Amino acid sequence: MNDSTTIFIGLDVHKDFISVAYVPDDRNTDIIYLGPIGTRQSDIDKLIGRLKPKASRLIFAYEAGPSGYGLYRYLLSKNHTCLVVAPSLIPRRPGDRVKTNRRDAVQLARLMRSGDLSSVYVPDLEHEAIRDLSRAREDTLQDLTAAKLRLKSFLMRRGIYYTGNARWTPAHLRWLSEVACPTPAQQIVFQEYVHTVSEHQQRLTHLESELREHVSSWKLLPFVNALQALRGVQFTVAVTTIAEVGDLTRFTNPQQLSAYLGLIPSEYSSGEKRRQGGITKTGNAHARRAIVEGAWAYHYPAKVSRQIQERQQNLPKHIQNIAWKAQLRLCKRFRRLTARGKNPNVAVTAIARELACFMWAIAREVKPAV
């Protein structure tokens, strides 16, 4: 064994096989392509046994994707370094139009040796479980919204309209139970649409209940509770943010968090000209969507409502002060932006960016559970 060398191993991971390429840390050596191997743990062990005599340290890398983090966790359990790489941040030449498994594995090994790869944040198993539960709730909410839209569209085509002020209230549900369609076939369609809405509503209620139960024993629960001091950041917004991003204090400053969420303006500047466009929309879309949704609460004047008082009841005074400071600033900023003629959607995006920064400030004041 050469105790002074490191080997960088690029893995192009697929469902049935993994393409492997490796290169030593010596810049004068060529990249070696080993070919495909299986995806079982025994296949990974054989690969490690084959490469371990060649160097004192093995560093693996593969692209984040549907394969998940199982390979990452297994390699860490074997005391090896592994990077899960962000596919969107892998440098690619504009003229390169050829993509193969071999090229991808070789490229990962080469870029890892040169230090040009950016790894993603990998949650632990408990954290990933909360994230999966949060995303299942979000998917169900989207299904429920789509089901309600199909039902309303069906009734509109039949010329049947609800004249009440609010939909999906008890009064609206009573009205739905009395709707009669012109033909038996259409009545069947109507009942199926109503049943689908009820089904999704029950599933959503169940998932929200399970989410609250599992989060109650989560080590990041103090962050979830603290973020709810902010206006517009109810339980689901706080859980989604922490489940997707993790500990917000892992970012050195709030600007890094905003960039991770894709809430900063895009820019194309050349020479003396500076052009800024819409937000970059990079990073985690789930957390960005939740924060933008919460930012709409600052459309109204600053006020500590009864619900916010209940959420702040057991929180330290300095966290409550940060939340009130956020209200004063963001409500005023929303009014100023819209008064200048900014589209409300543009204004709320700017508010969401600052709201994320206040989240980071509150997270710094929290002592997470061990």
Side-chain angles (χ1 to χ4, degrees):
M1 176 190 293
N2 187 349
D3 292 332
S4 63
T5 60
T6 298
I7 285 183
F8 300 96
I9 304 107
L11 306 175
D12 188 47
V13 181
H14 295 270
K15 181 180 68 173
D16 300 319
F17 63 91
I18 302 174
S19 298
V20 183
Y22 75 91
V23 62
D25 56 359
D26 184 1
R27 296 300 180 96
N28 297 320
T29 56
D30 295 329
I31 300 174
I32 300 173
Y33 179 66
L34 292 181
I37 64 171
T39 57
R40 298 174 301 177
Q41 292 182 354
S42 58
D43 299 318
I44 305 300
D45 291 336
K46 289 180 182 179
L47 174 65
I48 293 173
R50 183 176 176 180
L51 296 177
K52 204 168 185 180
K54 300 179 183 294
S56 59
R57 186 184 182 199
L58 304 180
I59 302 180
F60 297 82
Y62 68 94
E63 293 184 30
S67 55
Y69 306 121
L71 178 58
Y72 168 88
R73 295 191 179 108
Y74 183 72
L75 289 171
L76 257 62
S77 70
K78 294 293 184 178
N79 298 319
H80 295 292
T81 303
C82 182
L83 304 178
V84 182
V85 181
S88 60
L89 298 180
I90 296 178
R92 302 187 188 277
R93 290 176 293 184
D96 192 354
R97 294 290 186 270
V98 179
K99 183 185 184 303
T100 64
N101 299 328
R102 175 172 182 159
R103 276 176 167 250
D104 288 346
V106 168
Q107 184 185 36
L108 284 172
R110 181 190 300 113
L111 293 174
M112 187 164 37
R113 181 175 65 176
S114 63
D116 292 328
L117 293 180
S118 300
S119 60
V120 301
Y121 169 73
V122 179
D124 57 33
L125 193 58
E126 181 191 15
H127 187 159
E128 188 177 14
I130 298 293
R131 177 186 289 183
D132 288 338
L133 195 55
S134 174
R135 289 185 179 181
R137 176 206 160 271
E138 185 179 346
D139 292 339
T140 303
L141 181 59
Q142 292 175 356
D143 292 340
L144 175 61
T145 303
K148 288 179 176 179
L149 182 60
R150 282 193 292 267
L151 175 57
K152 290 193 292 184
S153 299
F154 173 80
L155 293 175
M156 187 177 295
R157 291 195 302 272
R158 308 281 77 77
I160 303 173
Y161 302 99
Y162 176 64
T163 57
N165 294 326
R167 296 181 183 275
W168 313 112
T169 58
H172 182 217
L173 296 178
R174 286 194 299 271
W175 175 82
L176 285 174
S177 65
E178 299 171 356
V179 169
C181 295
T183 67
Q186 290 172 332
Q187 189 68 32
I188 291 174
V189 173
F190 168 73
Q191 293 301 150
E192 288 296 329
Y193 280 151
V194 171
H195 178 68
T196 302
V197 171
S198 301
E199 216 173 38
H200 287 314
Q201 185 64 62
Q202 292 172 5
R203 187 177 296 115
L204 180 63
T205 302
H206 173 68
L207 285 171
E208 288 180 346
S209 175
E210 291 294 333
L211 187 60
R212 287 184 179 275
E213 180 179 346
H214 285 81
V215 168
S216 63
S217 58
W218 190 23
K219 65 181 180 181
L220 295 181
L221 175 63
F223 290 105
V224 175
N225 290 335
L227 292 188
Q228 292 182 69
L230 290 163
R231 183 176 187 172
V233 185
Q234 297 88 353
F235 174 78
T236 52
V237 175
V239 168
T240 301
T241 303
I242 298 300
E244 297 295 339
V245 182
D247 184 354
L248 303 185
T249 59
R250 66 187 177 92
F251 297 95
T252 307
N253 53 62
Q255 289 77 17
Q256 289 183 356
L257 174 59
S258 299
Y260 174 81
L261 294 169
L263 288 170
I264 60 173
S266 58
E267 182 171 347
Y268 184 82
S269 299
S270 180
E272 297 180 355
K273 294 182 179 180
R274 186 188 184 197
R275 298 187 181 94
Q276 286 188 315
I279 58 173
T280 59
K281 293 187 179 180
T282 57
N284 195 295
H286 300 276
R288 181 172 64 251
R289 183 164 49 247
I291 294 173
V292 170
E293 179 183 339
W296 280 104
Y298 296 92
H299 174 72
Y300 303 98
K303 176 185 176 182
V304 180
S305 64
R306 180 176 55 83
Q307 292 83 359
I308 295 177
Q309 289 177 3
E310 291 175 355
R311 300 203 301 262
Q312 294 181 352
Q313 190 172 5
N314 298 320
L315 295 177
K317 183 64 177 176
H318 56 277
I319 290 181
Q320 297 181 31
N321 292 338
I322 294 174
W324 177 240
K325 181 181 178 181
Q327 273 214 62
L328 292 175
R329 174 177 173 81
L330 298 184
C331 292
K332 183 178 180 180
R333 180 163 171 75
F334 191 97
R335 290 196 305 271
R336 284 185 173 181
L337 288 172
T338 52
R340 285 164 46 190
K342 290 289 184 181
N343 186 288
N345 292 322
V346 175
V348 83
T349 303
I351 299 304
R353 179 167 57 252
E354 293 200 24
L355 178 59
C357 297
F358 278 108
M359 287 181 169
W360 180 86
I362 286 180
R364 291 187 63 193
E365 304 295 332
V366 176
K367 294 181 179 179
V370 180

